[in-house]
Amino acid sequence: MTATGEAAGMGVRGAPTGPWWWARRRSLVLDVCLALASVLECVAEGARFAHEASVPLVFGVLVGVLAGSVMLLRRRWPVAAVLVSIAVTPAQMGFLLGVVALYTLAASDVPRRIIAVLSVMSVVGSLVVVFVRFDRDMAQDGYTPGVWLIAAISVLVALGLTGPPVLLGMYVGARRRLVESLRERADGLERELSLLADRAEERAEWARSEERTRIAREMHDVVAHRVSLMVVHAAALQAVAVKDPEKASRNAALVGDMGRQALTELREMLGVLRRTPEGQVAEKPSAAEPARLAAAVAVASGGPAEAGSGAEVSAGAAARGVTLVTGEGGEGPCLADLEDLVGQSRAAGMVVELLAEGAERPYGASVEQTAYRVVQEGLTNVHKHASGAKTRVRLARREAEVAVQVENGPSDGGADVRLPSGGNGLVGMRERVSALGGVFVSGPTDSGGFRVSAVIPDGSSS
């Protein structure tokens, strides 16, 4: 019982007053009333039996009290109550006891065969007593009907005393068991619904966690590479600012282009996060915002400010050999963009070689984007941890899969650009590749460098 149920089941002074207690109390009152009525009936019939049998009156009254008191035990021991009622049948007492005991027996959980045996015994006992009593009374009145008439009347009386209480008890017992089974089923369904609700909450929490991880991984892939290149170019700009102003100007322009690319991809990502449930963008930025943001980045990076439109910014970036990602409607990078990606690292001073094997063929968008991100993160790690190392990028286009590898040699001890590392790059690459059913391997090489490899199956070709 719950705390509320316990509170509802207690009276003012702590006495129980719940529905269960009231039902038990009503049953007890009913049993006591039936027992008193049965005792009075049995005492009266016991006194008459003592007079007819010429036995002491006290004996008949005592038998009547004991037989009638059995009514109090009918719920706990229904079989004993029926046996007592059958035992006192020859004394023509216990009519109420017999009827109520048979009803209780039929409504209980006693096996059917025991109910049938005791019912037959009750019918036979009543039949014999009624037959003898009826024949004797007819003989005393001087009327001698046929034996078949007496037998028929005796059978009807015996069946009338036994059949109705047994049938009614069986009906009430079956209905009670049905209600209990329905209640148990309802409780089971309630528990099952509670478990389903808990599991749904767990699945929702898992989905939220997965979505947060995916967004964090996407933000890392989008920003880390661009910002790493910006830091590398900034370091080069600082080194050549005095000696070679022209090269410093080119590096400043590259830093500005990298910043614009990072802003464009970030805006693309935030646009996805700001979509409404109907799939529409909640708030569309103004047309002048890309140019304003690009000009701010260019100024902050030390390069010339370009305050033109978004088209002018893209044209300026294309003139410098830098690929900008379209912010509206783009489906993300693909394998065809690897040449531009490698070119950006070359422009930052990295000695990098791209080797492509196999004929060009279309793959799923997620497959091409994952392969691109693996190469991008591999090059970013080279910028961070192996400045000046020679790097080789391999791309193998196969019939049902794509394989990419980024391998760099040992660092040549160049300038340390002091790029921070959160240690999430390799984890994010492994998660991306594993989500598509691919294989990801990373680790140091014998020559002192580092290798990142991934084989991604193309599910769209199956």
Side-chain angles (χ1 to χ4, degrees), residues 81-422:
V82 174
L83 290 176
V84 171
S85 68
I86 296 175
V88 299
T89 299
Q92 300 180 15
M93 67 171 61
F95 168 77
L96 179 61
L97 174 63
V99 172
V100 177
L102 285 173
Y103 165 79
T104 306
L105 176 68
S108 66
D109 295 331
V110 176
R112 297 296 183 185
R113 60 179 183 277
I114 297 179
I115 297 176
V117 170
L118 293 178
S119 299
V120 171
M121 291 175 60
S122 179
V123 170
V124 172
S126 300
L127 177 63
V128 172
V129 171
V130 171
F131 184 87
V132 174
R133 181 74 180 184
F134 189 72
D135 182 63
R136 187 183 64 179
D137 292 344
M138 292 296 101
Q140 290 177 357
D141 294 341
Y143 177 69
T144 56
V147 177
W148 294 110
L149 179 59
I150 297 176
I153 295 176
S154 301
V155 169
L156 291 177
V157 173
L159 291 177
L161 293 175
T162 306
V166 171
L167 294 178
L168 180 61
M170 293 179 66
Y171 168 76
V172 172
R175 184 176 178 84
R176 183 184 303 160
R177 286 187 288 272
L178 176 62
V179 172
E180 291 177 356
S181 66
L182 292 177
R183 185 180 294 112
E184 291 178 357
R185 184 179 299 178
D187 294 340
L189 289 176
E190 184 176 357
R191 289 192 296 270
E192 186 176 353
L193 288 176
S194 178
L195 290 175
L196 290 176
D198 294 340
R199 291 177 182 175
E201 181 64 26
E202 292 176 358
R203 286 195 296 268
E205 182 63 29
W206 176 82
R208 287 192 291 267
S209 177
E210 286 294 314
E211 186 65 14
R212 286 193 295 267
T213 302
R214 188 192 66 81
I215 293 174
R217 183 170 60 241
E218 196 71 23
M219 295 288 286
H220 176 273
D221 292 339
V222 167
V223 176
H225 181 73
R226 307 297 180 193
V227 175
S228 298
L229 291 179
M230 289 172 63
V231 174
V232 172
H233 282 295
L237 175 63
Q238 184 180 8
V240 301
V242 178
K243 298 179 181 179
D244 193 347
E246 184 178 354
K247 186 175 181 181
S249 177
R250 290 197 302 269
N251 286 340
L254 286 174
V255 171
D257 290 335
M258 293 300 171
R260 280 186 284 274
Q261 279 189 293
L263 283 177
T264 302
E265 294 187 359
L266 277 177
R267 185 171 62 252
E268 203 176 43
M269 177 68 63
L270 295 177
V272 174
L273 295 178
R274 291 172 62 87
R275 290 187 184 275
T276 61
E278 290 78 10
Q280 300 295 330
V281 178
E283 181 180 353
K284 187 175 182 180
S286 62
E289 184 179 358
R292 181 174 57 82
L293 292 175
V297 172
V299 172
S301 61
E306 298 182 11
S309 63
E312 293 172 349
V313 172
S314 300
R320 297 181 181 93
V322 179
T323 301
L324 285 177
V325 180
T326 56
E328 307 296 335
E331 296 183 357
C334 59
L335 294 177
D337 299 327
L338 285 181
E339 186 66 37
D340 295 331
L341 180 65
V342 171
Q344 294 170 14
S345 294
R346 289 195 187 114
M350 179 187 293
V351 179
V352 56
E353 180 183 6
L354 175 62
L355 300 177
E357 302 175 3
E360 293 188 5
R361 63 178 73 241
Y363 295 101
S366 59
V367 174
E368 295 203 8
Q369 183 176 359
T370 301
Y372 179 93
R373 294 301 187 193
V374 170
V375 176
Q376 183 185 55
E377 184 61 29
L379 294 176
T380 301
N381 288 338
V382 176
H383 285 295
K384 288 182 178 180
H385 307 293
S387 177
K390 294 182 179 180
T391 306
R392 179 176 297 172
V393 178
R394 293 191 177 110
L395 168 65
R397 296 183 176 92
R398 300 166 185 166
E399 183 177 357
E401 63 184 15
V402 177
V404 292
Q405 182 182 87
V406 180
E407 181 179 356
N408 63 273
S411 175
D412 62 357
D416 185 10
V417 295
R418 291 178 296 179
L419 285 171
S421 177

Side-chain angles (χ1 to χ4, degrees), residues 2-15:
T2 61
T4 306
E6 291 177 355
M10 302 298 292
V12 177
R13 296 184 179 181

